[in-house]
Amino acid sequence: MVTVSLDIQILLASLLFLMGLVGLLVRRNIIFMLMSIEIMLNSAGLVFVIAGAHWIQTDGQVMFIFILAIAASEVSVGLALILQMYHHYKTLDADAMNKLKDKTTES
Amino acid sequence: MNTIFYIAAAVALLSTLLAITRRNAIHALIYLIMSLLSISVIFYILGAPFIAALEVIIYAGAIVVLFIFVIMMLNIGLEEELEHRWLKPRMWIVPSILATILLVEFIYAMKTLHYEKIESQVVLPRQVGLSLFSTYLLGVEIAGMLLLAAIIGTYHLGKQKKKVLHRFLPKR
């Protein structure tokens, strides 16, 4: 059995979450942004499973299954939206969609 | 077992870092698969074999395949050339090394970790299933409705809009 302290396991999950967050903020390609969201959801699920294994309860794994369902539905809708976006704008740059931007504040 | 945890954690961090910094989407997806597989090994040694299997089947199987489908659909017409350019042999070296490390770890964990001996310290799939369909039954139903909504939404978003100007005007 793993006897690594809980702090280090949580640290691993937080680092993964942080990488996903940085990827989401830095990348402008919308496919990469969706992938970063997947990384973040996965690390959240990792925290649940770690906690469930630490306290020997089933709840962590049950929550991971729910996170899996959420991730699957999120990614399917997101990819359909990406297809529509590519259909309209012919680009994958997330900054291309600025029709709602206030024109008066635009520099 | 702790060494296995640290190695798998290092592989996960490295491959995630590579995944978010790649320029090419297919390369990034390969590193994302490596990250998911290493987290799956961590799940296995944490005593959650069912979750480890789900991680491989649903995340690395279904979701990444969806991504690949969309990337291929966005480049219609030049698949052959793109495949040759994306999947150069040189590109496979680092993912293969990482995958080999994970495979060795996994085989070692399977040899040494006997769940029946430590049954009181781990949560086995049977207990998860019982909890899922008794305590969390409402959650399961809500998840089912969420998936149904996702199916309907994806179908609606994905279909090509037919342009009809008027019912008596000829279709373009």
Short mmCIF file of all heavy atoms in Angstrom, two decimals, chain A residues 27-96:
data_model
loop_
_atom_site.label_atom_id
_atom_site.label_comp_id
_atom_site.label_asym_id
_atom_site.label_seq_id
_atom_site.Cartn_x
_atom_site.Cartn_y
_atom_site.Cartn_z
N ARG A 27 -2.79 29.44 -23.56
CA ARG A 27 -3.04 29.05 -24.94
C ARG A 27 -4.25 29.78 -25.50
O ARG A 27 -5.22 30.04 -24.78
CB ARG A 27 -3.27 27.53 -25.04
CG ARG A 27 -2.14 26.70 -24.57
CD ARG A 27 -0.85 26.99 -25.27
NE ARG A 27 -0.90 26.67 -26.68
CZ ARG A 27 -0.34 25.59 -27.20
NH1 ARG A 27 0.30 24.75 -26.44
NH2 ARG A 27 -0.40 25.37 -28.49
N ARG A 28 -4.19 30.12 -26.79
CA ARG A 28 -5.34 30.76 -27.44
C ARG A 28 -6.05 29.81 -28.40
O ARG A 28 -7.12 30.14 -28.89
CB ARG A 28 -4.91 32.01 -28.20
CG ARG A 28 -4.54 33.18 -27.35
CD ARG A 28 -5.74 33.73 -26.59
NE ARG A 28 -5.78 33.18 -25.25
CZ ARG A 28 -6.85 33.28 -24.46
NH1 ARG A 28 -7.93 33.87 -24.87
NH2 ARG A 28 -6.83 32.77 -23.26
N ASN A 29 -5.42 28.69 -28.72
CA ASN A 29 -6.08 27.70 -29.56
C ASN A 29 -7.17 27.02 -28.74
O ASN A 29 -6.92 26.53 -27.64
CB ASN A 29 -5.05 26.68 -30.03
CG ASN A 29 -5.61 25.74 -31.05
OD1 ASN A 29 -6.77 25.39 -31.01
ND2 ASN A 29 -4.78 25.35 -31.98
N ILE A 30 -8.39 26.99 -29.26
CA ILE A 30 -9.50 26.59 -28.41
C ILE A 30 -9.48 25.09 -28.11
O ILE A 30 -9.98 24.65 -27.07
CB ILE A 30 -10.83 27.07 -29.03
CG1 ILE A 30 -11.91 27.08 -27.98
CG2 ILE A 30 -11.21 26.24 -30.20
CD1 ILE A 30 -13.02 27.99 -28.29
N ILE A 31 -8.85 24.30 -28.98
CA ILE A 31 -8.74 22.86 -28.68
C ILE A 31 -7.83 22.65 -27.48
O ILE A 31 -8.11 21.83 -26.59
CB ILE A 31 -8.23 22.11 -29.92
CG1 ILE A 31 -9.34 22.07 -30.97
CG2 ILE A 31 -7.81 20.71 -29.58
CD1 ILE A 31 -8.99 21.28 -32.17
N PHE A 32 -6.75 23.45 -27.41
CA PHE A 32 -5.86 23.33 -26.25
C PHE A 32 -6.56 23.81 -24.98
O PHE A 32 -6.31 23.28 -23.91
CB PHE A 32 -4.59 24.14 -26.48
CG PHE A 32 -3.61 23.44 -27.35
CD1 PHE A 32 -3.62 23.64 -28.71
CD2 PHE A 32 -2.70 22.56 -26.82
CE1 PHE A 32 -2.73 22.98 -29.52
CE2 PHE A 32 -1.81 21.90 -27.62
CZ PHE A 32 -1.82 22.11 -28.97
N MET A 33 -7.41 24.81 -25.12
CA MET A 33 -8.13 25.27 -23.93
C MET A 33 -9.04 24.17 -23.40
O MET A 33 -9.14 23.93 -22.19
CB MET A 33 -8.93 26.53 -24.26
CG MET A 33 -8.04 27.72 -24.56
SD MET A 33 -8.92 29.09 -25.27
CE MET A 33 -9.64 29.81 -23.84
N LEU A 34 -9.71 23.45 -24.32
CA LEU A 34 -10.58 22.35 -23.89
C LEU A 34 -9.76 21.23 -23.25
O LEU A 34 -10.18 20.62 -22.25
CB LEU A 34 -11.36 21.84 -25.10
CG LEU A 34 -12.71 21.23 -24.84
CD1 LEU A 34 -13.59 22.22 -24.12
CD2 LEU A 34 -13.36 20.85 -26.14
N MET A 35 -8.58 20.96 -23.82
CA MET A 35 -7.73 19.93 -23.23
C MET A 35 -7.28 20.33 -21.83
O MET A 35 -7.19 19.49 -20.93
CB MET A 35 -6.50 19.70 -24.11
CG MET A 35 -6.75 18.74 -25.24
SD MET A 35 -5.46 18.80 -26.46
CE MET A 35 -4.04 18.51 -25.47
N SER A 36 -7.00 21.62 -21.63
CA SER A 36 -6.60 22.07 -20.30
C SER A 36 -7.74 21.91 -19.30
O SER A 36 -7.51 21.55 -18.13
CB SER A 36 -6.17 23.52 -20.36
OG SER A 36 -5.18 23.68 -21.31
N ILE A 37 -8.97 22.14 -19.78
CA ILE A 37 -10.11 21.92 -18.88
C ILE A 37 -10.21 20.44 -18.50
O ILE A 37 -10.50 20.10 -17.34
CB ILE A 37 -11.40 22.41 -19.55
CG1 ILE A 37 -11.35 23.92 -19.70
CG2 ILE A 37 -12.61 22.03 -18.75
CD1 ILE A 37 -12.52 24.46 -20.45
N GLU A 38 -9.90 19.55 -19.45
CA GLU A 38 -9.90 18.13 -19.14
C GLU A 38 -8.86 17.80 -18.07
O GLU A 38 -9.13 17.03 -17.14
CB GLU A 38 -9.58 17.32 -20.39
CG GLU A 38 -10.71 17.27 -21.39
CD GLU A 38 -11.94 16.71 -20.78
OE1 GLU A 38 -11.85 15.63 -20.18
OE2 GLU A 38 -12.98 17.35 -20.87
N ILE A 39 -7.67 18.41 -18.20
CA ILE A 39 -6.61 18.16 -17.20
C ILE A 39 -7.08 18.62 -15.83
O ILE A 39 -6.89 17.93 -14.82
CB ILE A 39 -5.32 18.89 -17.61
CG1 ILE A 39 -4.75 18.29 -18.88
CG2 ILE A 39 -4.29 18.80 -16.51
CD1 ILE A 39 -3.61 19.08 -19.45
N MET A 40 -7.76 19.78 -15.79
CA MET A 40 -8.21 20.30 -14.50
C MET A 40 -9.28 19.40 -13.88
O MET A 40 -9.24 19.09 -12.68
CB MET A 40 -8.75 21.71 -14.68
CG MET A 40 -7.68 22.74 -14.89
SD MET A 40 -8.26 24.20 -15.71
CE MET A 40 -9.21 24.94 -14.43
N LEU A 41 -10.22 18.93 -14.70
CA LEU A 41 -11.26 18.03 -14.17
C LEU A 41 -10.64 16.74 -13.66
O LEU A 41 -11.05 16.20 -12.62
CB LEU A 41 -12.27 17.72 -15.27
CG LEU A 41 -13.40 18.71 -15.49
CD1 LEU A 41 -14.16 18.33 -16.73
CD2 LEU A 41 -14.33 18.68 -14.31
N ASN A 42 -9.63 16.26 -14.40
CA ASN A 42 -9.00 15.02 -14.02
C ASN A 42 -8.28 15.16 -12.68
O ASN A 42 -8.33 14.27 -11.83
CB ASN A 42 -8.02 14.62 -15.12
CG ASN A 42 -7.63 13.20 -15.03
OD1 ASN A 42 -8.39 12.39 -14.54
ND2 ASN A 42 -6.44 12.89 -15.47
N SER A 43 -7.63 16.31 -12.47
CA SER A 43 -6.92 16.47 -11.20
C SER A 43 -7.91 16.63 -10.06
O SER A 43 -7.64 16.18 -8.94
CB SER A 43 -5.99 17.67 -11.28
OG SER A 43 -6.72 18.83 -11.45
N ALA A 44 -9.06 17.24 -10.33
CA ALA A 44 -10.09 17.31 -9.30
C ALA A 44 -10.56 15.92 -8.91
O ALA A 44 -10.71 15.59 -7.71
CB ALA A 44 -11.26 18.15 -9.78
N GLY A 45 -10.73 15.05 -9.92
CA GLY A 45 -11.10 13.68 -9.63
C GLY A 45 -10.02 12.95 -8.86
O GLY A 45 -10.32 12.12 -7.98
N LEU A 46 -8.75 13.29 -9.16
CA LEU A 46 -7.64 12.67 -8.43
C LEU A 46 -7.71 13.01 -6.95
O LEU A 46 -7.49 12.14 -6.09
CB LEU A 46 -6.32 13.13 -9.05
CG LEU A 46 -5.03 12.58 -8.44
CD1 LEU A 46 -5.01 11.09 -8.56
CD2 LEU A 46 -3.83 13.17 -9.13
N VAL A 47 -8.05 14.26 -6.64
CA VAL A 47 -8.18 14.64 -5.23
C VAL A 47 -9.27 13.81 -4.55
O VAL A 47 -9.09 13.32 -3.43
CB VAL A 47 -8.50 16.14 -5.10
CG1 VAL A 47 -8.75 16.50 -3.66
CG2 VAL A 47 -7.37 16.95 -5.63
N PHE A 48 -10.40 13.62 -5.25
CA PHE A 48 -11.48 12.84 -4.66
C PHE A 48 -11.03 11.41 -4.36
O PHE A 48 -11.31 10.87 -3.27
CB PHE A 48 -12.69 12.81 -5.59
CG PHE A 48 -13.63 13.94 -5.39
CD1 PHE A 48 -13.77 14.92 -6.35
CD2 PHE A 48 -14.37 14.04 -4.24
CE1 PHE A 48 -14.63 15.97 -6.16
CE2 PHE A 48 -15.24 15.09 -4.04
CZ PHE A 48 -15.38 16.06 -5.01
N VAL A 49 -10.35 10.79 -5.33
CA VAL A 49 -9.94 9.40 -5.12
C VAL A 49 -8.89 9.31 -4.02
O VAL A 49 -8.90 8.37 -3.20
CB VAL A 49 -9.44 8.79 -6.44
CG1 VAL A 49 -8.91 7.39 -6.22
CG2 VAL A 49 -10.57 8.75 -7.43
N ILE A 50 -7.96 10.29 -3.97
CA ILE A 50 -6.95 10.29 -2.91
C ILE A 50 -7.63 10.37 -1.54
O ILE A 50 -7.30 9.61 -0.61
CB ILE A 50 -5.97 11.46 -3.11
CG1 ILE A 50 -5.03 11.19 -4.27
CG2 ILE A 50 -5.17 11.71 -1.85
CD1 ILE A 50 -4.23 12.39 -4.68
N ALA A 51 -8.60 11.28 -1.41
CA ALA A 51 -9.28 11.41 -0.13
C ALA A 51 -10.05 10.15 0.21
O ALA A 51 -10.04 9.69 1.36
CB ALA A 51 -10.20 12.62 -0.18
N GLY A 52 -10.70 9.56 -0.81
CA GLY A 52 -11.44 8.34 -0.56
C GLY A 52 -10.53 7.20 -0.13
O GLY A 52 -10.90 6.39 0.73
N ALA A 53 -9.31 7.15 -0.71
CA ALA A 53 -8.37 6.09 -0.32
C ALA A 53 -7.79 6.36 1.06
O ALA A 53 -7.44 5.44 1.78
CB ALA A 53 -7.25 5.98 -1.35
N HIS A 54 -7.70 7.64 1.42
CA HIS A 54 -7.11 7.96 2.72
C HIS A 54 -8.05 7.59 3.86
O HIS A 54 -7.63 7.04 4.87
CB HIS A 54 -6.77 9.45 2.76
CG HIS A 54 -6.03 9.86 3.99
ND1 HIS A 54 -6.61 10.59 4.99
CD2 HIS A 54 -4.77 9.63 4.38
CE1 HIS A 54 -5.72 10.79 5.95
NE2 HIS A 54 -4.60 10.22 5.60
N TRP A 55 -9.32 7.91 3.69
CA TRP A 55 -10.28 7.61 4.75
C TRP A 55 -11.01 6.29 4.56
O TRP A 55 -11.96 6.00 5.29
CB TRP A 55 -11.27 8.76 4.90
CG TRP A 55 -10.68 9.89 5.68
CD1 TRP A 55 -10.44 9.90 7.01
CD2 TRP A 55 -10.24 11.14 5.18
NE1 TRP A 55 -9.87 11.09 7.37
CE2 TRP A 55 -9.74 11.87 6.28
CE3 TRP A 55 -10.20 11.73 3.92
CZ2 TRP A 55 -9.22 13.15 6.15
CZ3 TRP A 55 -9.69 13.00 3.79
CH2 TRP A 55 -9.20 13.70 4.90
N ILE A 56 -10.62 5.54 3.49
CA ILE A 56 -11.21 4.24 3.17
C ILE A 56 -12.74 4.34 3.11
O ILE A 56 -13.48 3.62 3.79
CB ILE A 56 -10.76 3.13 4.15
CG1 ILE A 56 -9.26 3.27 4.42
CG2 ILE A 56 -10.97 1.78 3.57
CD1 ILE A 56 -8.74 2.27 5.39
N GLN A 57 -13.19 5.29 2.32
CA GLN A 57 -14.64 5.46 2.09
C GLN A 57 -14.91 5.33 0.60
O GLN A 57 -14.03 5.57 -0.23
CB GLN A 57 -15.09 6.86 2.54
CG GLN A 57 -14.94 7.11 4.01
CD GLN A 57 -15.95 6.31 4.82
OE1 GLN A 57 -17.07 6.13 4.37
NE2 GLN A 57 -15.54 5.82 5.97
N THR A 58 -16.15 4.95 0.27
CA THR A 58 -16.49 4.78 -1.15
C THR A 58 -16.80 6.10 -1.84
O THR A 58 -16.80 6.16 -3.07
CB THR A 58 -17.71 3.88 -1.30
OG1 THR A 58 -18.77 4.47 -0.55
CG2 THR A 58 -17.45 2.51 -0.78
N ASP A 59 -17.07 7.15 -1.08
CA ASP A 59 -17.60 8.39 -1.66
C ASP A 59 -16.67 9.01 -2.71
O ASP A 59 -17.13 9.55 -3.70
CB ASP A 59 -17.86 9.39 -0.55
CG ASP A 59 -18.71 8.82 0.55
OD1 ASP A 59 -18.18 8.00 1.33
OD2 ASP A 59 -19.89 9.15 0.62
N GLY A 60 -15.35 8.89 -2.44
CA GLY A 60 -14.40 9.47 -3.38
C GLY A 60 -14.53 8.86 -4.77
O GLY A 60 -14.60 9.58 -5.77
N GLN A 61 -14.61 7.55 -4.83
CA GLN A 61 -14.69 6.90 -6.14
C GLN A 61 -16.03 7.18 -6.81
O GLN A 61 -16.11 7.33 -8.04
CB GLN A 61 -14.47 5.40 -5.99
CG GLN A 61 -13.10 5.12 -5.41
CD GLN A 61 -12.74 3.66 -5.48
OE1 GLN A 61 -13.23 2.93 -6.33
NE2 GLN A 61 -11.90 3.22 -4.58
N VAL A 62 -17.10 7.26 -6.00
CA VAL A 62 -18.41 7.59 -6.58
C VAL A 62 -18.37 8.98 -7.21
O VAL A 62 -18.84 9.19 -8.33
CB VAL A 62 -19.49 7.50 -5.50
CG1 VAL A 62 -20.79 8.04 -6.00
CG2 VAL A 62 -19.66 6.08 -5.05
N MET A 63 -17.74 9.92 -6.49
CA MET A 63 -17.63 11.27 -7.03
C MET A 63 -16.80 11.29 -8.30
O MET A 63 -17.07 12.04 -9.22
CB MET A 63 -17.00 12.20 -6.00
CG MET A 63 -17.93 12.60 -4.91
SD MET A 63 -19.33 13.47 -5.58
CE MET A 63 -20.46 13.29 -4.24
N PHE A 64 -15.77 10.43 -8.37
CA PHE A 64 -14.98 10.38 -9.60
C PHE A 64 -15.83 9.92 -10.77
O PHE A 64 -15.69 10.42 -11.88
CB PHE A 64 -13.78 9.45 -9.42
CG PHE A 64 -12.88 9.46 -10.62
CD1 PHE A 64 -11.92 10.44 -10.75
CD2 PHE A 64 -13.02 8.53 -11.63
CE1 PHE A 64 -11.12 10.48 -11.86
CE2 PHE A 64 -12.21 8.57 -12.74
CZ PHE A 64 -11.26 9.55 -12.85
N ILE A 65 -16.74 8.98 -10.52
CA ILE A 65 -17.60 8.53 -11.62
C ILE A 65 -18.48 9.67 -12.10
O ILE A 65 -18.69 9.88 -13.30
CB ILE A 65 -18.42 7.31 -11.17
CG1 ILE A 65 -17.48 6.14 -10.92
CG2 ILE A 65 -19.44 6.94 -12.20
CD1 ILE A 65 -18.15 4.94 -10.35
N PHE A 66 -18.99 10.48 -11.15
CA PHE A 66 -19.81 11.63 -11.56
C PHE A 66 -18.98 12.64 -12.35
O PHE A 66 -19.44 13.19 -13.36
CB PHE A 66 -20.42 12.30 -10.34
CG PHE A 66 -21.49 11.49 -9.69
CD1 PHE A 66 -21.76 11.60 -8.35
CD2 PHE A 66 -22.23 10.59 -10.44
CE1 PHE A 66 -22.74 10.84 -7.76
CE2 PHE A 66 -23.21 9.83 -9.86
CZ PHE A 66 -23.46 9.95 -8.51
N ILE A 67 -17.73 12.87 -11.90
CA ILE A 67 -16.85 13.80 -12.62
C ILE A 67 -16.60 13.30 -14.03
O ILE A 67 -16.55 14.07 -14.99
CB ILE A 67 -15.54 14.00 -11.85
CG1 ILE A 67 -15.80 14.84 -10.62
CG2 ILE A 67 -14.51 14.69 -12.70
CD1 ILE A 67 -14.60 15.04 -9.76
N LEU A 68 -16.49 11.98 -14.16
CA LEU A 68 -16.30 11.38 -15.49
C LEU A 68 -17.48 11.69 -16.40
O LEU A 68 -17.31 12.07 -17.57
CB LEU A 68 -16.13 9.88 -15.31
CG LEU A 68 -15.24 9.12 -16.25
CD1 LEU A 68 -13.85 9.68 -16.20
CD2 LEU A 68 -15.23 7.68 -15.87
N ALA A 69 -18.71 11.54 -15.85
CA ALA A 69 -19.90 11.84 -16.66
C ALA A 69 -19.91 13.31 -17.05
O ALA A 69 -20.20 13.67 -18.20
CB ALA A 69 -21.16 11.49 -15.87
N ILE A 70 -19.56 14.18 -16.09
CA ILE A 70 -19.54 15.61 -16.39
C ILE A 70 -18.52 15.92 -17.47
O ILE A 70 -18.80 16.67 -18.42
CB ILE A 70 -19.24 16.41 -15.11
CG1 ILE A 70 -20.39 16.29 -14.13
CG2 ILE A 70 -19.00 17.87 -15.42
CD1 ILE A 70 -20.08 16.84 -12.78
N ALA A 71 -17.32 15.32 -17.36
CA ALA A 71 -16.27 15.59 -18.34
C ALA A 71 -16.69 15.12 -19.72
O ALA A 71 -16.46 15.82 -20.72
CB ALA A 71 -14.98 14.90 -17.91
N ALA A 72 -17.33 13.94 -19.79
CA ALA A 72 -17.73 13.42 -21.09
C ALA A 72 -18.75 14.33 -21.74
O ALA A 72 -18.63 14.69 -22.92
CB ALA A 72 -18.29 12.01 -20.93
N SER A 73 -19.77 14.78 -20.98
CA SER A 73 -20.78 15.64 -21.60
C SER A 73 -20.20 17.00 -21.95
O SER A 73 -20.51 17.54 -23.01
CB SER A 73 -21.97 15.77 -20.68
OG SER A 73 -21.58 16.01 -19.38
N GLU A 74 -19.31 17.51 -21.08
CA GLU A 74 -18.70 18.82 -21.36
C GLU A 74 -17.89 18.77 -22.65
O GLU A 74 -17.97 19.66 -23.49
CB GLU A 74 -17.85 19.21 -20.16
CG GLU A 74 -17.03 20.46 -20.32
CD GLU A 74 -15.60 20.16 -20.62
OE1 GLU A 74 -15.14 19.08 -20.22
OE2 GLU A 74 -14.96 20.99 -21.25
N VAL A 75 -17.12 17.70 -22.81
CA VAL A 75 -16.23 17.68 -23.97
C VAL A 75 -17.02 17.47 -25.25
O VAL A 75 -16.67 18.02 -26.29
CB VAL A 75 -15.11 16.64 -23.78
CG1 VAL A 75 -15.57 15.25 -24.07
CG2 VAL A 75 -13.93 16.98 -24.64
N SER A 76 -18.13 16.70 -25.18
CA SER A 76 -18.89 16.50 -26.42
C SER A 76 -19.55 17.80 -26.87
O SER A 76 -19.48 18.18 -28.04
CB SER A 76 -19.92 15.39 -26.24
OG SER A 76 -20.80 15.73 -25.21
N VAL A 77 -20.16 18.53 -25.91
CA VAL A 77 -20.78 19.80 -26.28
C VAL A 77 -19.71 20.81 -26.72
O VAL A 77 -19.89 21.53 -27.70
CB VAL A 77 -21.60 20.34 -25.10
CG1 VAL A 77 -22.11 21.72 -25.40
CG2 VAL A 77 -22.75 19.43 -24.81
N GLY A 78 -18.58 20.82 -26.01
CA GLY A 78 -17.52 21.75 -26.38
C GLY A 78 -16.98 21.50 -27.77
O GLY A 78 -16.74 22.45 -28.52
N LEU A 79 -16.82 20.24 -28.13
CA LEU A 79 -16.28 19.96 -29.46
C LEU A 79 -17.30 20.29 -30.54
O LEU A 79 -16.92 20.76 -31.61
CB LEU A 79 -15.83 18.51 -29.54
CG LEU A 79 -14.54 18.23 -28.78
CD1 LEU A 79 -14.26 16.76 -28.69
CD2 LEU A 79 -13.38 18.93 -29.43
N ALA A 80 -18.59 20.09 -30.25
CA ALA A 80 -19.61 20.50 -31.22
C ALA A 80 -19.57 22.02 -31.41
O ALA A 80 -19.69 22.53 -32.53
CB ALA A 80 -20.98 20.05 -30.76
N LEU A 81 -19.38 22.75 -30.31
CA LEU A 81 -19.26 24.21 -30.40
C LEU A 81 -18.02 24.61 -31.20
O LEU A 81 -18.07 25.57 -31.98
CB LEU A 81 -19.19 24.83 -29.01
CG LEU A 81 -20.51 24.98 -28.30
CD1 LEU A 81 -20.27 25.41 -26.87
CD2 LEU A 81 -21.35 26.00 -29.00
N ILE A 82 -16.93 23.85 -31.04
CA ILE A 82 -15.72 24.17 -31.80
C ILE A 82 -15.97 23.97 -33.29
O ILE A 82 -15.56 24.79 -34.11
CB ILE A 82 -14.54 23.28 -31.33
CG1 ILE A 82 -14.06 23.76 -29.97
CG2 ILE A 82 -13.40 23.34 -32.30
CD1 ILE A 82 -12.95 22.91 -29.41
N LEU A 83 -16.70 22.90 -33.63
CA LEU A 83 -17.00 22.67 -35.05
C LEU A 83 -17.83 23.83 -35.60
O LEU A 83 -17.56 24.33 -36.70
CB LEU A 83 -17.77 21.36 -35.22
CG LEU A 83 -16.94 20.09 -35.18
CD1 LEU A 83 -17.83 18.89 -35.37
CD2 LEU A 83 -15.89 20.12 -36.27
N GLN A 84 -18.85 24.28 -34.83
CA GLN A 84 -19.65 25.41 -35.29
C GLN A 84 -18.80 26.67 -35.43
O GLN A 84 -18.95 27.44 -36.39
CB GLN A 84 -20.78 25.68 -34.31
CG GLN A 84 -21.89 24.68 -34.40
CD GLN A 84 -22.59 24.77 -35.72
OE1 GLN A 84 -22.86 25.85 -36.22
NE2 GLN A 84 -22.86 23.62 -36.30
N MET A 85 -17.89 26.87 -34.46
CA MET A 85 -17.04 28.06 -34.51
C MET A 85 -16.16 28.03 -35.75
O MET A 85 -16.00 29.04 -36.43
CB MET A 85 -16.18 28.09 -33.25
CG MET A 85 -15.15 29.18 -33.25
SD MET A 85 -14.02 28.94 -31.90
CE MET A 85 -12.81 30.16 -32.34
N TYR A 86 -15.60 26.85 -36.04
CA TYR A 86 -14.75 26.75 -37.22
C TYR A 86 -15.57 26.97 -38.48
O TYR A 86 -15.10 27.56 -39.45
CB TYR A 86 -14.07 25.38 -37.26
CG TYR A 86 -12.98 25.30 -38.28
CD1 TYR A 86 -11.76 25.91 -38.05
CD2 TYR A 86 -13.18 24.63 -39.48
CE1 TYR A 86 -10.77 25.86 -38.99
CE2 TYR A 86 -12.17 24.57 -40.42
CZ TYR A 86 -10.98 25.19 -40.17
OH TYR A 86 -10.00 25.14 -41.10
N HIS A 87 -16.83 26.52 -38.45
CA HIS A 87 -17.71 26.71 -39.60
C HIS A 87 -17.96 28.19 -39.86
O HIS A 87 -18.00 28.63 -41.00
CB HIS A 87 -19.02 25.99 -39.30
CG HIS A 87 -19.89 25.82 -40.48
ND1 HIS A 87 -19.56 25.00 -41.52
CD2 HIS A 87 -21.08 26.37 -40.79
CE1 HIS A 87 -20.51 25.06 -42.44
NE2 HIS A 87 -21.44 25.88 -42.02
N HIS A 88 -18.10 28.97 -38.78
CA HIS A 88 -18.44 30.39 -38.94
C HIS A 88 -17.22 31.26 -39.19
O HIS A 88 -17.25 32.16 -40.00
CB HIS A 88 -19.17 30.89 -37.71
CG HIS A 88 -20.61 30.51 -37.68
ND1 HIS A 88 -21.56 31.16 -38.42
CD2 HIS A 88 -21.26 29.54 -37.02
CE1 HIS A 88 -22.73 30.59 -38.21
NE2 HIS A 88 -22.58 29.60 -37.36
N TYR A 89 -16.14 30.99 -38.42
CA TYR A 89 -15.02 31.94 -38.42
C TYR A 89 -13.81 31.44 -39.18
O TYR A 89 -12.86 32.17 -39.38
CB TYR A 89 -14.60 32.25 -36.99
CG TYR A 89 -15.62 33.05 -36.23
CD1 TYR A 89 -16.57 32.42 -35.45
CD2 TYR A 89 -15.63 34.43 -36.31
CE1 TYR A 89 -17.51 33.15 -34.76
CE2 TYR A 89 -16.57 35.17 -35.63
CZ TYR A 89 -17.50 34.52 -34.85
OH TYR A 89 -18.44 35.25 -34.16
N LYS A 90 -13.77 30.15 -39.54
CA LYS A 90 -12.63 29.55 -40.24
C LYS A 90 -11.32 29.70 -39.45
O LYS A 90 -10.26 29.86 -40.02
CB LYS A 90 -12.46 30.16 -41.63
CG LYS A 90 -13.64 29.99 -42.53
CD LYS A 90 -13.81 28.54 -42.95
CE LYS A 90 -15.10 28.41 -43.73
NZ LYS A 90 -15.79 27.17 -43.46
N THR A 91 -11.42 29.70 -38.15
CA THR A 91 -10.21 29.76 -37.34
C THR A 91 -10.47 29.07 -36.01
O THR A 91 -11.62 28.86 -35.64
CB THR A 91 -9.77 31.20 -37.09
OG1 THR A 91 -8.64 31.20 -36.24
CG2 THR A 91 -10.85 32.02 -36.45
N LEU A 92 -9.38 28.71 -35.31
CA LEU A 92 -9.53 28.11 -33.99
C LEU A 92 -9.07 29.06 -32.90
O LEU A 92 -8.96 28.67 -31.74
CB LEU A 92 -8.74 26.80 -33.90
CG LEU A 92 -9.33 25.64 -34.68
CD1 LEU A 92 -8.42 24.43 -34.58
CD2 LEU A 92 -10.70 25.29 -34.14
N ASP A 93 -8.81 30.31 -33.26
CA ASP A 93 -8.35 31.29 -32.28
C ASP A 93 -9.54 31.76 -31.44
O ASP A 93 -10.53 32.23 -31.96
CB ASP A 93 -7.72 32.46 -33.02
CG ASP A 93 -7.02 33.39 -32.07
OD1 ASP A 93 -7.02 33.09 -30.87
OD2 ASP A 93 -6.47 34.39 -32.54
N ALA A 94 -9.39 31.61 -30.11
CA ALA A 94 -10.51 31.99 -29.25
C ALA A 94 -10.75 33.49 -29.27
O ALA A 94 -11.87 33.95 -29.00
CB ALA A 94 -10.25 31.53 -27.82
N ASP A 95 -9.73 34.28 -29.60
CA ASP A 95 -9.91 35.73 -29.62
C ASP A 95 -10.67 36.21 -30.85
O ASP A 95 -11.03 37.39 -30.92
CB ASP A 95 -8.55 36.42 -29.59
CG ASP A 95 -7.90 36.27 -28.23
OD1 ASP A 95 -8.64 36.08 -27.27
OD2 ASP A 95 -6.67 36.35 -28.15
N ALA A 96 -10.91 35.31 -31.80
CA ALA A 96 -11.65 35.73 -32.99
C ALA A 96 -13.11 36.00 -32.68
O ALA A 96 -13.78 36.73 -33.40
CB ALA A 96 -11.54 34.66 -34.07
#
